[in-house]
Amino acid sequence: MIAKPAFDLVFRNAVTRSSAVPVDIGVADGRIAAIAPQLACEAVEVDLGGRLALPGFVDTHIHLDKACLLGRCGHDHASVADAIRAVAAMKRDFTIEDVYARGAKVIERAITAGTTRMRTHVEIDPRIALRGFEAIKALKRDYAWALDLSLCVFPQEGLTNDPGTDELLVAALNDGAGAIGGCPYVDSDPNAQIARIFDLAQQFDIDVDLHLDFDLDPSWWHMEEVCRQTERRNYHGRVTIGHATKLSALPPERLKAAAARLAAAGVAVTVLPATDLYLMGREATHNAPRGLTAAHRLVADGVLCSVATNNVQNPFTPFGDASLLRMANLYANVAHAGLGEFDTCLDLVTELPARLMNLRDYGIAVGNPADIVVLDTDSGTNAIAELPDVLLGFKRGRKTFERQRPKLFRP
Ligand SMILES: [Zn+2]
């Protein structure tokens, strides 16, 4: 007699991105132990009824420390500089408790929207010092049961022009920050900032994730310098640029050339639809450019890309629910993605950002953590088209949330 495998939990009738027919997923000790049709076992069962199981959404770029600020600033912010100024004025008063409470609100929305991995940018400068960093470290610890949080520290107000920032950044890196970001376009010496960020990244052996090229003027950009530094330091596959809205202003042949440059250097691009759509194209009185870089086209040309949340309800973006499925749907709609490209649009908030963050244990595969999120639909294409409810989430085999399907009460 053959002993039945010992699973703690089995998902029945799951559709996955890689299997056309529903499969069962067996879980043991928090990890995926088997994937096959009709697994014979006596474990606790969760019947997905042919619904789509994903390994969770991956948000590579969000700002938990400055989320949910709308009630505190009374005017509209129509430019990137206005938004930066508004938050700079408020953040001197941020306390650890305040950042924690606002961040927790967003993390809980993200968890119930199906996000299982996240990289948050954390502002470091003499105004906020390390208070934001301390609060986000506490969030990382307190929500580890549902979400893996990585901290990317960065100088939002500039680095070479802002005395005291460098020392604080080094202190945060010594205290376990997982990546380093930057914002060269606010620095009085952008190339010096880029060089210093790469120095620190190499010193601490961490990845780089910069805010870059955030306007619609393609006559100059910092992208070339970032590609050059990436190659010089052998950092292929470890560098990302966020926004890169200048790329949306390029005609097709120049966009092809830029894509080839990024792909060759191994520099990834993160598109941030909510913020890019809100802040770009404001000068136009009509036929406004939307400033959204076509990530799915860059992917077709070999560039690693992600679509991410960025800001939630603050001067940069007065919207937000931290749902990456909604963001991918918004992206697909605005970027003129066709039905045949919807699968790539789902990749932009799942597989591709996992690669961008160099996550080695992501995906529904034997041996990986049993991170499973269930959508009320039957395919990746329909996930983008229908914007289905996210019904269930599991982190390392433990249920983290559940959403009831709506019920109709017919007369
Ligand atoms: Zn950002």
Side-chain angles (χ1 to χ4, degrees):
M1 188 180 139
I2 301 165
K4 287 179 181 168
F7 300 133
D8 308 316
L9 173 72
V10 63
F11 295 95
R12 300 284 189 199
N13 305 306
V15 169
T16 68
R17 304 289 302 285
S18 55
S19 73
V21 292
V23 291
D24 292 351
I25 302 166
V27 176
D29 294 328
R31 293 192 173 268
I32 296 171
I35 303 172
Q38 293 161 355
L39 282 175
C41 65
E42 283 156 10
V44 175
E45 297 189 351
V46 179
D47 191 353
L48 303 194
R51 292 189 182 83
L52 179 65
L54 299 174
F57 298 107
V58 182
D59 207 333
T60 64
H61 188 133
I62 192 168
H63 295 262
L64 293 175
D65 55 354
K66 58 182 173 190
C68 304
L69 290 172
L70 285 188
R72 300 188 196 184
C73 41
H75 61 286
D76 279 333
H77 308 277
S79 74
V80 182
D82 282 350
I84 291 174
R85 253 194 307 277
V87 175
M90 282 186 277
K91 74 177 159 186
R92 292 177 195 279
D93 300 326
F94 288 180
T95 62
I96 293 177
E97 296 72 25
D98 170 41
V99 173
Y100 184 98
R102 288 183 288 101
K105 202 169 148 186
V106 176
I107 284 185
E108 290 183 15
R109 288 297 298 270
I111 292 166
T112 58
T115 299
T116 52
R117 321 259 184 144
M118 179 184 275
R119 173 186 281 172
T120 185
H121 286 262
V122 184
E123 299 194 10
I124 306 279
D125 61 60
R127 294 155 205 82
I128 180 81
L130 296 173
R131 299 192 303 280
F133 182 69
E134 290 299 332
I136 305 295
K137 272 200 314 180
L139 289 169
K140 175 186 166 93
R141 180 194 65 217
D142 294 350
Y143 286 92
W145 55 273
L147 179 134
D148 299 332
L149 185 61
S150 160
L151 280 65
C152 177
V153 292
F154 86 111
Q156 172 71 78
E157 316 296 334
L159 181 56
T160 69
N161 54 298
D162 201 16
T165 300
D166 199 296
E167 293 81 352
L168 287 165
L169 270 178
V170 170
L173 292 166
N174 275 316
D175 198 12
I180 185 160
C183 206
Y185 55 80
V186 300
D187 207 296
S188 49
D189 190 344
N191 285 357
Q193 179 180 131
I194 292 168
R196 178 63 182 150
I197 296 297
F198 273 91
D199 285 345
L200 290 170
Q202 281 189 299
Q203 187 186 329
F204 288 89
D205 192 20
I206 50 175
D207 293 357
V208 174
D209 196 338
L210 301 162
H211 294 78
L212 211 80
D213 293 342
F214 191 20
D215 62 48
L216 300 182
D217 177 2
S219 67
W220 63 274
W221 59 29
H222 295 133
M223 190 193 95
E224 179 51 40
E225 176 62 12
V226 170
C227 289
R228 206 180 65 78
Q229 291 280 1
T230 303
E231 286 170 337
R232 211 189 102 199
R233 297 164 191 260
N234 224 348
Y235 244 52
H236 186 283
R238 303 191 68 180
V239 178
T240 300
I241 58 174
H243 296 297
T245 50
K246 283 176 187 284
L247 295 175
S248 76
L250 293 178
E253 64 282 6
R254 281 192 65 198
L255 183 62
K256 280 264 180 208
R261 182 75 186 99
L262 290 163
V267 173
V269 174
T270 295
V271 170
L272 303 159
T275 305
D276 298 346
L277 289 165
Y278 181 69
L279 289 176
M280 295 294 102
R282 291 288 181 133
E283 323 70 44
T285 55
H286 60 287
N287 265 348
R290 305 316 316 273
L292 190 72
T293 286
H296 67 291
R297 300 215 178 96
L298 292 178
V299 168
D301 284 338
V303 182
L304 180 57
C305 292
S306 72
V307 162
T309 299
N310 200 33
N311 282 293
V312 176
Q313 299 172 39
N314 72 9
F316 295 84
T317 316
F319 314 104
D321 57 2
S323 163
L324 279 178
L325 183 60
R326 187 182 68 79
M327 199 56 70
N329 167 282
L330 172 69
Y331 169 82
N333 203 157
V334 178
H336 290 161
L339 192 65
E341 294 162 324
F342 285 8
D343 255 313
T344 304
C345 293
L346 188 58
D347 290 341
L348 284 165
V349 290
T350 53
E351 315 291 335
L352 299 175
R355 273 175 49 200
L356 184 152
M357 285 180 66
N358 289 308
L359 303 176
R360 313 257 180 241
D361 60 355
Y362 174 85
I364 298 180
V366 171
N368 283 346
D371 296 355
I372 305 275
V373 165
V374 180
L375 275 59
D376 195 10
T377 191
D378 59 1
S379 74
T381 298
N382 286 341
I384 296 298
E386 297 172 355
L387 214 47
D389 285 339
V390 183
L391 295 176
L392 271 177
F394 288 76
K395 184 71 177 167
R396 292 180 288 274
R398 181 186 169 276
K399 193 193 280 188
T400 54
F401 74 93
E402 185 171 337
R403 179 175 282 105
Q404 297 300 325
R405 302 183 75 200
K407 281 183 196 154
L408 288 176
F409 297 96
R410 298 183 193 280

